[in-house]
Amino acid sequence: EGVPGHIPAPAAHSSGVSITDPADPTRRGWGTFIFDAQPQRALSFSAPHLKDDIETEQQAIEAYFASHARTLLVAGTDRDQNTTEAPCARSQRPYFESDVSHTAECVFQIAFEEIYSSDASTWHIQFHGNASCSEDVFLSNGVPNPGAKLRTLATNITAASTAAAAGGRVIVAGVFDASGGCTARGTDNMQMRFASGLPHADICQDEHVPIGPSRFIHVEQRRTVRRAPSDPDATRGVNRAVVLAGILATFP
């Protein structure tokens, strides 16, 4: 993300991910937007943290095509592409301006706002990864009164996992509500804040948090859940195909 010739220098990256030379004038890191002119489901998927949240971009792509959804939005930068800190509010780790979920003035955020505002029926599912939550999958739309759809999705993911596990381990799916749960709730996610009803001018500030339930679902997942079924380390009831089955059951 940036003007050619003025893209910040890359930060040292402990994961070993190769970062494109910032001096290359053909690379801007704007990301990828795909739409279906004749979608079969009122769904949109996004992956803001490719590479760092391992395999979430593959998960979003697979979900988009399997569901015949409306749109797919994939970030074009690693969240730690550079060392300039994001100007927006943060609740946990330091965020950088290349992190599209924590930077208001970026192409990804503006594209999301246009997509979200284009109708009043599409549900937006965004895939994330973490190793801190005790739940395998944790769903949030930023407020402790999320509505029935998130609980239905959690139930359907667990049901799909149970059916696939054949007596093995089953996914534990939780929802951010009055009972709390995982602290990774997306409350400082710029896409979440906009979807909750905040105007663009307010989403970046500390004092503004999600103000109401929305059609945006922030999906936190442990590494085991993000694996492809073909991964040698994947188990029958705990992989991203099971999560997708739960999504398809929730949004027929």
Side-chain angles (χ1 to χ4, degrees):
E1 181 84 58
V3 178
H6 298 278
I7 299 173
H13 206 279
S14 60
S15 70
V17 174
S18 177
I19 302 296
T20 301
D21 180 359
D24 181 348
T26 68
R27 300 302 182 103
R28 303 189 186 205
W30 283 358
T32 301
F33 167 61
I34 300 174
F35 71 95
D36 190 334
Q38 295 181 308
Q40 295 179 16
R41 282 182 172 85
L43 283 175
S44 291
F45 293 96
S46 58
H49 295 152
L50 70 167
K51 304 298 184 182
D52 266 1
D53 289 4
I54 298 173
E55 296 194 57
T56 51
E57 67 269 33
Q58 288 95 335
Q59 183 179 28
I61 292 166
E62 290 173 7
Y64 173 75
F65 285 109
S67 63
H68 297 275
R70 289 187 184 278
T71 66
L72 170 67
L73 196 59
V74 180
T77 66
D78 183 285
R79 69 186 299 175
D80 296 327
Q81 168 80 24
N82 59 53
T83 55
T84 303
E85 288 196 7
C88 296
R90 76 277 310 278
S91 61
Q92 296 181 7
R93 56 167 284 176
Y95 301 125
F96 300 100
E97 65 179 3
S98 51
D99 187 333
V100 298
S101 280
H102 299 282
T103 303
E105 303 305 326
C106 65
V107 171
F108 187 97
Q109 174 66 24
I110 300 304
F112 173 82
E113 292 181 11
E114 291 294 328
I115 296 166
Y116 191 86
S117 302
S118 65
D119 68 71
S121 59
T122 298
W123 281 80
H124 298 254
I125 298 177
Q126 189 173 91
F127 295 115
H128 293 262
N130 76 71
S132 62
C133 293
S134 60
E135 301 90 346
D136 296 304
V137 175
F138 190 74
L139 310 176
S140 170
N141 63 10
V143 293
N145 55 332
K149 187 68 75 173
L150 274 72
R151 295 187 178 88
T152 299
L153 177 56
T155 298
N156 285 340
I157 290 173
T158 299
S161 178
T162 302
R169 193 172 87 78
V170 174
I171 284 176
V172 176
V175 176
F176 170 42
D177 54 22
S179 63
C182 175
T183 58
R185 301 167 181 174
T187 55
D188 56 1
N189 181 326
M190 298 300 109
Q191 291 90 65
M192 173 88 81
R193 289 181 171 197
F194 180 82
S196 79
L198 287 171
H200 176 82
D202 292 342
I203 60 175
C204 196
Q205 307 307 315
D206 276 308
E207 63 269 23
H208 297 294
V209 297
I211 59 177
S214 65
R215 292 173 285 112
F216 183 88
I217 304 178
H218 184 275
V219 184
E220 290 286 347
Q221 304 163 102
R222 296 186 66 83
R223 175 73 180 91
T224 50
V225 177
R226 289 173 271 143
R227 289 194 172 104
S230 58
D231 188 320
D233 294 326
T235 59
R236 293 181 61 183
V238 185
N239 58 68
R240 64 178 182 252
V242 175
V243 176
L244 175 58
I247 292 171
L248 298 181
T250 306
F251 302 94

